[in-house]
Amino acid sequence: FAEQCTVTEKIEDILRRVRAADRVSFFSIFREASSRTEVICAFLALLELIRLKQVRALQAGVFHEIFICRSVRETAPAPGVLT
């Protein structure tokens, strides 16, 4: 049986990768999946992060590669915090 995964684990993984590299290829998120369940968890995690405006999906044009990037909200300091 394939190892079980959760959407929460995938959310943490995607956020960790985006913070480390500023942008991540959409397909690289799924390339490492070892099962259909893991692909579904990763996709749901990505949708949730986009809904929460923690990441953005960017594409330069039709049929170009899709990149997942930190959103402005995710990178902005908390209100009242001076930088």
Side-chain angles (χ1 to χ4, degrees):
F1 290 92
E3 182 180 323
Q4 295 295 315
C5 69
T6 66
V7 173
T8 302
E9 289 171 346
K10 290 297 180 184
I11 285 174
E12 292 168 357
D13 179 55
I14 292 168
L15 285 175
R16 180 184 47 76
R17 293 173 65 180
V18 170
R19 286 176 180 142
D22 284 333
R23 72 179 195 172
V24 176
S25 165
F26 175 84
F27 295 106
S28 73
I29 293 170
F30 304 102
R31 201 171 290 135
E32 300 168 3
S34 60
S35 68
R36 240 184 250 180
T37 302
E38 198 170 344
V39 170
I40 292 167
C41 282
F43 189 71
L44 291 174
L46 188 54
L47 289 176
E48 182 67 6
L49 287 169
I50 291 170
R51 184 186 75 79
L52 295 171
K53 298 184 182 345
Q54 291 190 4
V55 299
R56 297 181 300 154
L58 302 174
Q59 186 177 29
V62 178
F63 302 115
H64 287 108
E65 189 167 6
I66 301 168
F67 289 100
I68 307 304
C69 308
R70 288 187 275 184
S71 71
V72 175
R73 171 187 267 180
E74 204 273 332
T75 59
V81 175
L82 300 176
T83 55

